[in-house]
Amino acid sequence: MKIIILFCVFHVFFIYVFSLDNNNNQENIDLPLFGEIDTNKDGKISEKEVSKFATDLPACLRDIVINGLHDHSIDVDNDEFLSRIEWYNFLAKRLGKLVSASEVVDWVIYAVQKPIYAPNFKLHSVSGFDFIDLVRNDGQLIEKELGVKNVIAKNQIRRQMILKLCTDALEPEIPSNLTIEKGVNSAVISWQPSKSIDSPILCYQIQKADPSGVFEDLPHPELETSHIDKLVSHGNRYQYRIQSWSALGRSGWTEIINFYYEDP
């Protein structure tokens, strides 16, 4: 009995310590604009501070933050202020998968469809939390820090960042009915189109794993729902998976499908 009680006490203590550590991580993270908006440095953001900073925020994001203070959808503790944790959770919810730098690189390639700039985003480890800083001042940092000199390309990237920050729209569904058949010295992969309610599908991303088990991207035309992989060898087993992309982000991956190739 004592052992059970001690175990329960230790379990509760562990959860408490983990929760504190998680909150501390969020408190210590370098959150975009929080310090600049928090002009009186009290560790909280007020509606007045947001309004004063309005010219440096996308109008849509400013309105979302102010409304969130009023209806407590962001201000979850109902104290009329945003703490660092509430600001972090607000941004993380809007960004979804894009809180990760590696996800942002894929987003530049497939959602923004500007693969030429993906290496620069990877070099600077740009995460979705950086979007707020990058869209300020008409995207000057996109040009200066990320090397996007082309004005049209810079504006396209900036608009996509603002769209992600300001939109609650749904990402596309996972492609369905993934099948694979043996072709002439090839594997023929096909699937049904994804459904996307809020933004049209832009392209499909196909990944293949050879016998080593490492998945890599396959070049693929944007909206085709089939692909012929000619890089197959007799006696080898391969794995394939697919996801769809819209301007709002990506779907999940399909289930992995296996294919064993033998020469005719």
Side-chain angles (χ1 to χ4, degrees):
M1 186 68 176
K2 290 182 179 180
I3 294 175
I4 294 175
I5 293 173
L6 286 172
F7 175 79
C8 291
V9 171
F10 176 77
H11 183 67
V12 171
F13 178 75
F14 175 80
I15 292 174
Y16 173 72
V17 171
F18 178 81
S19 175
L20 284 178
D21 183 60
N22 188 49
N23 286 344
N24 287 336
N25 286 340
Q26 291 177 332
E27 289 286 359
N28 293 330
I29 193 170
D30 184 20
L31 293 175
L33 294 192
F34 188 94
E36 294 182 56
I37 300 175
D38 178 26
T39 52
N40 64 3
K41 306 305 177 186
D42 63 351
K44 296 179 290 185
I45 292 175
S46 67
E47 180 181 343
K48 184 177 180 180
E49 287 173 323
V50 173
S51 299
K52 284 183 177 180
F53 203 78
T55 55
D56 234 7
L57 282 175
C60 56
L61 189 64
R62 175 203 63 211
D63 294 343
I64 290 168
V65 173
I66 291 176
N67 290 336
L69 279 164
H70 288 168
D71 64 19
H72 306 300
S73 59
I74 304 174
D75 172 29
V76 294
D77 59 6
N78 300 342
D79 66 351
E80 308 299 333
F81 295 94
L82 292 183
S83 66
R84 291 179 67 86
I85 292 175
E86 288 170 330
W87 184 248
Y88 171 91
N89 289 336
F90 161 66
L91 291 177
K93 183 178 178 181
R94 304 200 76 78
L95 292 167
K97 303 180 186 76
L98 291 182
V99 296
S100 160
S102 61
E103 287 281 352
V104 170
V105 171
D106 281 346
W107 175 81
V108 172
I109 296 171
Y110 295 102
V112 187
Q113 299 195 311
K114 294 287 184 285
I116 189 173
Y117 300 115
N120 294 356
F121 278 76
K122 184 176 182 179
L123 177 65
H124 291 278
S125 299
V126 176
S127 78
F129 287 117
D130 297 311
F131 283 8
I132 292 183
D133 285 324
L134 290 169
V135 301
R136 296 169 67 187
N137 303 315
D138 294 322
Q140 288 183 13
L141 289 179
I142 297 175
E143 177 181 351
K144 292 180 179 178
E145 300 297 328
L146 298 175
V148 184
K149 304 297 184 183
N150 183 282
V151 175
I152 294 176
K154 181 193 73 174
N155 290 339
Q156 288 173 335
I157 293 171
R158 182 174 181 268
R159 281 197 300 270
Q160 291 285 78
M161 289 178 174
I162 292 173
L163 180 66
K164 190 62 184 177
L165 288 168
C166 293
T167 304
D168 278 330
L170 297 173
E171 295 170 341
E173 295 181 7
I174 298 173
S176 60
N177 299 330
L178 177 62
T179 61
I180 186 165
E181 297 178 352
K182 181 179 178 181
V184 179
N185 299 319
S186 64
V188 181
I189 312 151
S190 60
W191 59 93
Q192 292 298 311
S194 290
K195 295 179 181 179
S196 183
I197 298 173
D198 297 310
S199 182
I201 299 297
L202 296 174
C203 63
Y204 294 95
Q205 180 182 5
I206 305 175
Q207 287 193 338
K208 168 189 176 182
D210 61 17
S212 70
V214 178
F215 278 98
E216 295 183 350
D217 290 344
L218 292 179
H220 179 71
E222 294 176 357
L223 285 173
E224 295 293 327
T225 54
S226 63
H227 181 85
I228 299 176
D229 179 18
K230 296 183 178 180
L231 299 177
V232 293
S233 301
H234 173 73
N236 283 330
R237 188 176 300 278
Y238 303 94
Q239 294 179 314
Y240 297 87
R241 62 183 183 182
I242 299 173
Q243 64 182 1
S244 58
W245 283 87
S246 74
L248 299 172
R250 66 175 179 84
S251 71
W253 289 105
T254 61
E255 290 187 6
I256 294 171
I257 189 168
N258 293 287
F259 175 70
Y260 180 77
Y261 181 77
E262 289 181 315
D263 287 335

